[in-house]
Amino acid sequence: MLTEQGRPMTMEHLARALDIREPEMPFFERRLRAMERDGDLMRNRRDAYIIPDKVALIKGRVEGHPDGYGFLIPDEGDEDVFLGPRQMRDVLHGDRAMVRISGVDRRGRPEGQIVEVLERGNSRIVGRVIEEHGVLIVAPENKRIARDILLAPGRSKKVKTGDVVVVELVEQPSRYTAPIGKVVEVLGQYADPGMEVEIALRKHELPHEFSAEAKAQTRKLPDRVRKKDMAGREDIRHLPLVTIDGETAKDFDDAVYCAREGRGYRLVVAIADVSHYVEPGSALDHEARERGNSVYFPRRVIPMLPEKLSNGLCSLNPQVDRLCMVCDMAIGPTGAIKQYRFYPAVMYSHARLTYNQVAAAVFDKDPEALAVVGERLGDLKNLDKLFRVLLKARAKRGAIDFETTETRMIFNDEGKIERIVPESRNDAHRIIEECMLAANVCASEFLAKHRHAALYRVHEGPSVEKLKQLRSFMGEFGLQLGGGDDPHASDYAKLLDKVKGRPDEQLLQTVMLRSLRQAIYSPDNVGHFGLAYESYTHFTSPIRRYPDLLIHRSIKAVLQGKKYTPGDWEAIGLACSQTERRADDATRDVEAWLKCFYMQDRIGEVFTGSVSSVVPFGLFIALDDVFVEGLLHISELGEDYFQYDESRHELYGERTGQRFRLSDRITVQLMRVDLETTKIDFRLVRDADQASAPARGRRKGRARG
């Protein structure tokens, strides 16, 4: 019966199916218990019987797709299991479930059947209220949740069509019923200023309100550094430390000072001592751990710590005393760190400078900037000289230095994007970057030398498959990546040098970058491939990154002859890596919506751009000047069957032989902007179309959100 049904069945269900009468139940129960003891049957968490030998059960997390199907991502790291739309009716994206393999789909992927839902991943969902045939439903903002939520009559706050709301699920979905929810929060209308951030916060479950306990603890903190807080610390207030950050920065983690010492340099990197105020196990520590990092949206920041700490007591603001942890380094003339020392200190920032001010003063000799930096000019010149030395050491080490373009949104008084501009990265940025790298390396070496557990920032080299694809691709251009089966960062750096100045430089650099893995936090020190360091941690940003706070506590513990044990280092590293990805996903969502809103009045305009990504269903085009991406669907490429070649990053036409490749220059016309799905669609503009195409800047229509 269990084999025939293909699903778990409780004792009661089995009894009914097998027509077991009441007097026979005790004997039937005994028989089932005996079969269970013999291993012929087993019971799941819901007390239902399954056949262990005949039903291969796989546990994992459900990942939904906007088109209604999904996948089970197995816990054991096996191949993903395809779940068809019928199976997905039992679950939502984020649920945990148990499936059995029922066959293979038409693409040859293992196909699964839901056996049991182990854990629900959604209790609250953000979405937009829609009325259909007199019934109010909520369409989830997370498009991976492909089922609409029915609103329970009489159990919700008063809402109207178009409202963005948070619903609490009162009934989870099943194969025969839709999920049912009640509205617990009304956020406003979809196009309200700042709504994109409110949606992202709830869609990605970003903690954005501090608990009452954390607020109470914050209120008890002093407004300024007290004398008793300085006890046991070195006093370095005489050192002319300065902060160098962007124009809009409010939380200053780091201050620097550099002086010549013989043929070498003394570099002092002072970092805000957050660990003095945020004690392990406290409410503030719990909040910081849950958030993992600050999240930076355009025009809004969700801080890891309350503002009193992040912008006040911990921030290294100018002309006030601050507690700090110092990495004091002696660096030789070749860039090698000869000695270093960590110690808690009290400091005084002598100036708050920006990257542009420093660059203008040191490199351009701008009179206005020189007046701002004043007597700090000599120290800044020392920093620049040290930077040149560290840069040579970086090149010798073989670190990879990809050139990427950062952008910044300029908003008008109404909170709408006025334009998107490239963010220039001058040498002042790189000066601070090299100083922070040096301090991070020292922190890593210090903890490793004292055999204290730590969260390392690890970056592994390319996988075997990615490496094979990269070598094959580069071979087509007569280029070769050195290093054999185990290349080093220096091999990548040498190849980057070879492609510099070529017309296809952008294409080759992009392919190289995409062959690398993402960096993560882990207690296993496997080194940092991209930076070419054998050991690397994050020490320099404890105001906005939880791993840095852990490193500070670990260093203090070593200095005091103790051990810091926050719990399972591996689990903490995994959690910090996940919160980092969560923040990236949320900021991408917000930026995508803002860019759609920005582009919706430009339908019909013609743009030039480059192919930024090649996918089986088309090309993503990054537009010049406006710095916005959109999709050129495969159906727009011409009357041909286009085949996708992943290893060569191209689509090629079977009949015409036409090829579209990553980084190709292309002309497109903006056809559609969808605010709901944050999608931008283009059509291809060929040479013959150019004469009849509307002039750039002329509006042809308007998308409706």
Side-chain angles (χ1 to χ4, degrees), residues 161 238 386 585 649 655:
T161 302
H238 62 284
L386 173 60
D585 291 343
H649 301 273
R655 180 176 61 83

Side-chain angles (χ1 to χ4, degrees), residues 295-306:
V295 186
Y296 294 86
F297 295 111
R299 298 179 299 154
R300 185 173 171 187
V301 177
I302 307 300
M304 186 180 81
L305 298 168

Side-chain angles (χ1 to χ4, degrees), residues 125-187:
I125 294 173
V126 63
R128 185 151 44 147
V129 176
I130 299 171
E131 185 175 348
E132 287 189 354
H133 309 294
V135 177
L136 289 179
I137 62 173
V138 172
E141 186 63 28
N142 187 347
K143 301 308 173 187
R144 289 184 178 274
I145 300 176
R147 298 197 71 181
D148 294 332
I149 299 154
L150 289 173
L151 288 183
R155 298 186 63 181
S156 298
K157 292 186 174 185
K158 191 174 181 180
V159 294
K160 57 184 181 293
T161 302
D163 279 347
V164 178
V165 300
V166 178
V167 293
E168 186 176 273
L169 294 184
V170 296
E171 195 170 311
Q172 293 284 349
S174 73
R175 194 158 301 185
Y176 308 106
T177 59
I180 299 174
K182 64 176 181 179
V183 174
V184 293
E185 186 179 6
V186 180
L187 301 179

